[in-house]
Every structure is written in structure tokens, then in C-alpha cells.
Amino acid sequence: MSNDTKALEDLKRALRRLPGIGTKSAQRMAFHLLGRDRSVARDIAEALLRAVDRIGHCQQCNNFSETEICAICRSPRRDSGLLCVVESPADLVSLEQSGAFGGTYFVLMGRLSPLDGIGPEELGLPKLEALLDGGVVREVILATNATVEGEATAHYIGELARRRNLLATRIACGVPIGGEIEYIDRGTLARAFSGRREA
Amino acid sequence: MSNDTKALEDLKRALRRLPGIGTKSAQRMAFHLLGRDRSVARDIAEALLRAVDRIGHCQQCNNFSETEICAICRSPRRDSGLLCVVESPADLVSLEQSGAFGGTYFVLMGRLSPLDGIGPEELGLPKLEALLDGGVVREVILATNATVEGEATAHYIGELARRRNLLATRIACGVPIGGEIEYIDRGTLARAFSGRREA
């Protein structure tokens, strides 16, 4: 595409760095943004610059926040005795949307992954340990992903909690709602069996 | 998601205005851009602002261009006697990639669509007519989409060419390469039959 202007080529290359965006989608976006209404492109650029300037991490839970302590950590309505540990801000959003949890969070911004050089320090676990030592938390709910790395991370943090005589619980693993047994993988079915409860 | 900070909410809303991006993808992008390497967000913002500032339309063919006349229109290697009319810059890119065409283009930036208020004026057809009157163009190749609106647009522009005693041709419609007759729709098969050539 040697006929592209430099600015257009640069824009396509920049858009390709968005997650899930390949060459075709980047081109489609670039042409769309250069179309009749160019204010969209300016709005996106400004929102990006404002976001990277203003958004930092909550000093307490590590989630994205514009303030030193985020809205959830500040809220008097949340039970700070229940601490739910999640891997990412996206996980926190999903749990909040479920409406199932009224406690507070700790966001790891990742998972233990020694091969990628991500150990306890990189996940801010010293900060989590200080929180657990604070005398407020009663129960640590481990809501990391049900992947190998998520399980390892949950196991590690569970140990940190138990060492302080705090209750550590893991969210249940089993058949999702609407799931048909025929199509559920073996591993999940095994976990659903071992985790069965009185009906 | 009342727990989102304003800047984060704004960023998600801005990203949702990209074509093909819904709520989930916008969130994924936002969290990704706020991750460890924030230079990506800055790069995208700057590429957007530079693009909308610098990229205008070629005075001759209407394609996106940073210069008054684009590289294709300026090139002495292109046959300016052959003028290919396309709906969008993306169509032009696809045709260039096919390597099948060595002439010049006219980009409509749309198609005739009276219901949406897009008539000959909005498509810059007076500019196209001036080009046809210039005495250089011998053949107008109509490469608008094989949709109802694309066909109507091709028909209209074909008339403009014929009225000036210029040859007007339409790209062929038929079975795509690798296409299996069994799975080709009836309309396409009918067109492939009526457009058959001696083998």
C-alpha cells in the first residue's frame, strides 16, 4: 500500500496495536475516522490522552482510579471485612455486574507466572499482605480465573491468608447456568461432582 | 458501572464509536491501553490527531491524500485514459492489491442513496463530469459494489460517460475463484450465465 499517505499509514499501524485489531479492521477504522465526521477521531484522541493522564491505581485495592482511594474502597456501604481478590479490573467489573458481592476488592493486575517473570512482588502481594495484617479483613475470597495460573495464584494467596488465621475461600467451579452436561468438558464435570452440595 | 472513574467511562464511550466495537471490546481496549505500557495510547492519540489534521482529499480523484494531488494521480506510469470509479478508499486499496489495474481512479466516497439524501452532488459527480469533459479519459470502468445501490450508481455514471461518447464498462459479476456452484446464490449464478464468454 505504497499509495497511502504517511499519516494514514501511521494511523493504521497505531490502530493495529489495539487488542483484537488486525490489518483489515485497522484500515476500516482509519477510513471511518477520516470520513464525514472527524470529530469522532478528535474525541477518541482526547479521551485517550485524558485517561492516561488522569487514571492511576487506587492505593488500597490497586484498581484503576482517578482518586487516591477508589469509590468502592471509600464506600461506607461495602463490607471491608470481605476481601475479594481478582486478576484484573475487567474481572472486577463482571463481579460487580453480577451483584453478588458487597465487600471490597484487591486487583492483582495479573497472575503468578514465573516463566514470564511475574512473581509475588510484581502482583503487589506485599501490599495485599499489609492489608491482611490491618485487622479489618475476616475472609479472603479467591476469585482468580479457573486456569492453571489462576489456581496457582489462588493457592499462593490462600496460604498468605491462612498463615494469618484468616478464612480463605475459593469461588465455586462447576457447570455454568444453562450448561448442558453433554457439552461440558471432563475437567469441569469432575469439579462439579467433587463440589456437589446437598440439594 | 458507576464505579468507573469519569475518564475511564469517557474513554470506553469514545472507543465504542469505532466501527465494529461494542461495549465489551471497548472495555477490553480501555483496560489494555491503561496497562503497563501507556505509550501505545499516546501513540494512537497522536496518530489520530495528525491524521485528521493532515489528510484531506485529492483534488482530482477524491481519495484521501496529504497532498493536493495524490500519488496515483501524479504518477506518470498510470494510464489516465482509464478511469475506474469506486465507492470508497477501501475499495481502491483492494483493487490496487489485485494488481489488475494500471489506470487512475475516482472515489465517490459513497453511493447514490436518495433515501439517505445522497444524490449526485453529495458524491461529487459534477467534479467527475468535469474530469470526463477534460478530453483525457477514454474509458470509465464502473467498479461500484454489486449491491442494489452500487448498481444504480454505476448505471447513473455510465449514462454520464455515454452522453460524452466515452466507453463505459462494468466489472464482471459471477462465481468467485474457488467458488462451488452448489453454494452460490441464484442471483450470482444467473449473472454468471448471462455474462458467459467463449472458453
Side-chain angles (χ1 to χ4, degrees):
Chain A
M1 277 171 286
S2 56
N3 295 307
D4 274 352
T5 66
K6 172 131 191 345
L8 182 55
E9 198 47 72
D10 285 350
L11 177 58
K12 288 186 191 174
R13 197 179 310 116
L15 292 171
R16 270 207 302 276
R17 297 175 72 184
L18 289 168
I21 300 304
T23 310
K24 272 272 176 186
S25 303
Q27 174 176 296
R28 186 165 158 241
M29 285 180 176
F31 287 152
H32 177 87
L33 292 167
L34 290 168
R36 278 161 223 266
D37 182 10
R38 294 200 173 182
S39 68
V40 175
R42 284 207 184 81
D43 288 350
I44 294 174
E46 279 156 24
L48 279 166
L49 294 174
R50 234 179 303 128
V52 295
D53 270 1
R54 294 195 193 162
I55 299 175
H57 292 275
C58 170
Q59 294 298 307
Q60 193 170 315
C61 76
N62 220 16
N63 192 17
F64 290 128
S65 176
E66 274 184 82
T67 48
E68 215 164 287
I69 304 293
C70 77
I72 293 181
C73 287
R74 274 200 319 260
S75 170
R77 285 199 234 155
R78 314 282 307 208
D79 180 355
S80 48
L82 294 176
L83 186 74
C84 179
V85 179
V86 294
E87 293 184 21
S88 74
D91 298 341
L92 186 154
V93 169
S94 291
L95 289 174
E96 283 295 289
Q97 284 172 344
S98 80
F101 184 61
T104 54
Y105 292 93
F106 187 84
V107 183
L108 299 169
M109 301 299 291
R111 60 212 68 94
L112 285 178
S113 179
L115 289 179
D116 300 318
I118 301 179
E121 289 288 334
E122 283 71 25
L123 292 186
L125 293 192
K127 201 161 127 184
L128 174 61
E129 292 190 73
L131 201 60
L132 298 183
D133 287 330
V136 178
V137 176
R138 301 184 308 272
E139 178 180 348
V140 179
I141 300 166
L142 303 158
T144 51
N145 290 334
T147 58
V148 173
E149 288 173 338
E151 293 289 356
T153 308
H155 180 79
Y156 188 95
I157 297 173
E159 278 304 308
L160 296 181
R162 277 185 290 272
R163 217 179 288 159
R164 289 164 174 82
N165 289 315
L166 298 173
L167 179 63
T169 56
R170 180 83 172 107
I171 54 167
C173 190
V175 179
I177 287 186
E180 299 182 60
I181 305 289
E182 181 180 356
Y183 300 109
I184 308 287
D185 67 286
R186 287 181 287 180
T188 301
L189 284 181
R191 293 285 289 271
F193 260 85
S194 66
R196 69 188 180 279
R197 303 203 306 189
E198 204 176 306
Chain B
M1 274 171 288
S2 58
N3 295 306
D4 273 354
T5 65
K6 170 125 190 357
L8 182 55
E9 198 49 70
D10 285 351
L11 177 58
K12 288 186 192 175
R13 196 178 312 114
L15 292 171
R16 270 207 303 276
R17 297 175 71 184
L18 289 167
I21 300 302
T23 310
K24 272 272 176 185
S25 303
Q27 173 176 295
R28 185 163 158 242
M29 285 178 175
F31 287 153
H32 177 87
L33 293 168
L34 290 168
R36 278 160 224 267
D37 183 10
R38 294 200 172 182
S39 68
V40 174
R42 286 208 182 78
D43 288 351
I44 294 173
E46 280 156 22
L48 279 166
L49 295 174
R50 235 179 303 128
V52 294
D53 270 1
R54 295 195 192 162
I55 299 175
H57 292 275
C58 170
Q59 293 298 307
Q60 191 169 315
C61 75
N62 221 15
N63 192 18
F64 291 128
S65 176
E66 275 183 84
T67 47
E68 216 165 286
I69 302 295
C70 76
I72 293 181
C73 288
R74 274 201 317 262
S75 169
R77 286 198 233 154
R78 315 281 307 208
D79 180 355
S80 48
L82 294 174
L83 186 73
C84 179
V85 178
V86 294
E87 293 185 20
S88 73
D91 298 342
L92 186 154
V93 169
S94 291
L95 288 175
E96 282 297 289
Q97 284 171 346
S98 80
F101 184 62
T104 55
Y105 292 92
F106 187 84
V107 183
L108 298 169
M109 301 300 289
R111 62 213 66 98
L112 285 178
S113 180
L115 288 178
D116 301 319
I118 301 177
E121 290 287 335
E122 285 70 25
L123 292 186
L125 293 193
K127 202 161 127 185
L128 173 61
E129 292 190 74
L131 201 59
L132 299 184
D133 287 330
V136 177
V137 176
R138 301 184 306 273
E139 178 180 348
V140 178
I141 300 167
L142 303 158
T144 52
N145 290 334
T147 58
V148 174
E149 289 173 336
E151 294 290 355
T153 307
H155 180 80
Y156 188 95
I157 296 172
E159 277 305 307
L160 296 181
R162 278 185 291 270
R163 217 179 289 158
R164 289 164 174 83
N165 289 317
L166 298 174
L167 179 64
T169 56
R170 179 86 172 104
I171 54 167
C173 191
V175 178
I177 286 187
E180 298 180 59
I181 305 290
E182 180 180 355
Y183 300 109
I184 307 287
D185 68 287
R186 286 180 288 178
T188 301
L189 283 182
R191 294 285 289 271
F193 260 84
S194 67
R196 69 190 179 278
R197 305 203 304 193
E198 205 176 306

